[in-house]
Amino acid sequence: MEIFVFDGTLEGLLTAVFECYQKKSEAVKLVSQTHYVPDVFKEAFAVISEDAKAKRVWKGLAKKLDSNWMKSIYRAFLSEQPATFQDLFEFIRYIIDSPPGAEANFGNKYVLEISKMSHKVHREKHRMEAFIRFQKTADHIFYAHIEPDFNVLPLLIDHFKNRYADQKWIIYDLKRKYGLFYDLEKVEEITFDFTAEMSPALNALPVNVLDSQEELYALLWKDYFRSVNIPARKNMKLHIRHVPKRYWKYLSEKQG
Amino acid sequence: MFERIREKLEILADAAKYDVSCSSSGSNRKNENKGLGDAEGTGICHTYTEDGRCVSLLKILLTNHCIYDCAFCVSRRSNDIKRAAFTVDEVVELTMNFYRRNYIEGLFLSSGIFKNADYTMERLVRIVKKLRNEQRFNGYIHLKTIPGASEELLKEAGMYADRMSINLEMPTESGLKLLAPEKSHEDVKKPLNYIQQTITQFSSEKGLIKAVPKFVPAGQSTQMVIGATPESDKEIMHTANTFYKNFSLKRVYYSGYIPISQDARLPVIGSQPPLIRENRLYQTDWLMRFYGFDVKEILNDAHPNLDVDIDPKLSWALRHLEDFPVDVNTADYKMIMRVPGIGVASALKIVQARKFGRLHQDQLKKIGISFNKAKHFIRYADSPLQLRDYEAGHIKAVILSESSSKYTKVPKNQLSIF
Ligand code: SF4
């Protein structure tokens, strides 16, 4: 068993696949730098990300997989899970080594794992699209911050850009310390240097930076949420299945 | 001002909540004018009420004043409640501001009938027109068709709405006559038919002219109240089936009656709404729409009501053990879908995966079928030798005992009805 250490980027992972064919490696354990604990008895091979190598692997995959599967690979990668990095590595090797169509083999462990993880990431992306609550600031920017389990921001760009084309907005990932800013033209990545002071509570910008009508609409929304409830039908089990408790903090209507 | 708008919203959202339709999907309205909103594709549930219902639209009445007196409705003329009415601008402002904050997918606008049908419909049309033309709003709009409104107004409404609906209210004409003598299913069929024909006309023009405007792109739906009148499940689902077929409806909704009236014709206040029954009806609806079942296979004279303790697919399978076991490695996709415990998505995975080799138990489990339920109805590569055929009652008992949590732990508020 050889150990490959990569930099945690998708480019690095694809480069690792390239190197593995170059070196004719058999069994490889793929570890990202952040998770790597050096072992005195075993030497590790340090993968150095290279655009050209990564692209060759990506293009090779694109010849065999349709765009949905290519997206699934990307989504699974955004899970940032160490086990998924390994699964991706194995999945890619399996696809390269097999005749076309192998991705439909759900009897294969890696096909199944990647499709499942991609599904999980997709589900969280979808939840963010649903649960993000913007607050309007005095300078007319609609602002929200999130703390997703997976790194889903890159997956949110198109949805929010298409939908909120006529308003400026920011979605900030407190956990990963970067955000998206849409300025009516394009979406840019931004970082704040004051995130340490930011309240981890969601929907919690200080009142003095908010638009004067923000309070009214937040209140009307809460009222609305209360009015549409039908107490005779109460079913908390079902409720929690749809909105797991860890997401409640996103929902302004559930606060206070 | 602040308080007045809060009060209006409270009254008019409360009165609208009994319409259970929540879908915000099926439209194809894109944000092409750099305006606000996008209603393409599947809608999003932005939150859920404590009873687990999806909240995706701002669902309100324009007013709860009404000249009619339908016994099952909170807004009925004779009911002594607070009345309110929004102005056109108030509805527009609320919709825009809720949407901008990502609270909702759009607007579901209905209304009590004040003065007359056209007067009411005209106001609804004014709101959607303003949203689309002045505010460049591309979010989802579900508009109620007011029975008796003129065809010109319906046509105009359809140019701006994504979906339109009109409720059958009761599953049969006689049920409706009992509770709302002023109404009839004919009043519902006429506008359904007119809008359906206009949809077809617009889509047939699509091939000829390039930029045909949209007309009710997400189609029409309807709703029936369940449990207020004595119809059997068979009557309910056969009505649903007819309406799906005759008017190409996108959805039929079943709304378990929530007692809100002292009227002697109706279940008393405080009795429990028939939630399990409602759920079984939806399951049947799915079997008809996505699993290739004919309504007569599930509900017929020999079997006029759905079982409460098991779902309709399992119930059907137990009545047709001669069609089982199904070999997942050779059977038709259609037949695999009919196996209890296997859904549309797993059935698809099975037929894809089996091309690579015969499927075994552990693979079936990983694919995500409910194995404990399905195992009584299938054969697979390593299925155990079966020495004798079990009879339906036995299988049912085993399944019920193995999945006790799902079938017997019914939320407390639902136990008392059965
Ligand atoms: S016409 Fe509609 S709003 Fe008026 S009482 Fe009948 S159901 Fe209610």
Side-chain angles (χ1 to χ4, degrees), chain B residues 61 63-77 83 110-113 146-147 169 180 182-183:
Chain B
L61 300 189
T63 178
N64 64 341
H65 288 285
C66 191
I67 54 171
Y68 286 96
D69 203 34
C70 311
F72 50 83
C73 176
V74 259
S75 303
R76 67 190 180 278
R77 181 180 67 219
R83 307 276 169 176
S110 175
S111 184
I113 299 167
I146 302 295
E169 309 297 7
E182 301 157 296
K183 296 199 149 184

Side-chain angles (χ1 to χ4, degrees), chain B residues 102-125:
Chain B
N102 204 40
Y103 296 163
I104 53 168
E105 290 294 283
L107 174 67
F108 181 142
L109 187 60
S110 175
S111 184
I113 299 167
F114 53 122
K115 286 201 182 156
N116 58 52
D118 269 354
Y119 188 87
T120 311
M121 195 71 212
E122 198 261 327
R123 234 135 270 238
L124 298 183
V125 171

Side-chain angles (χ1 to χ4, degrees), chain B residues 11 323 389:
Chain B
I11 296 171
D323 294 342
D389 287 338

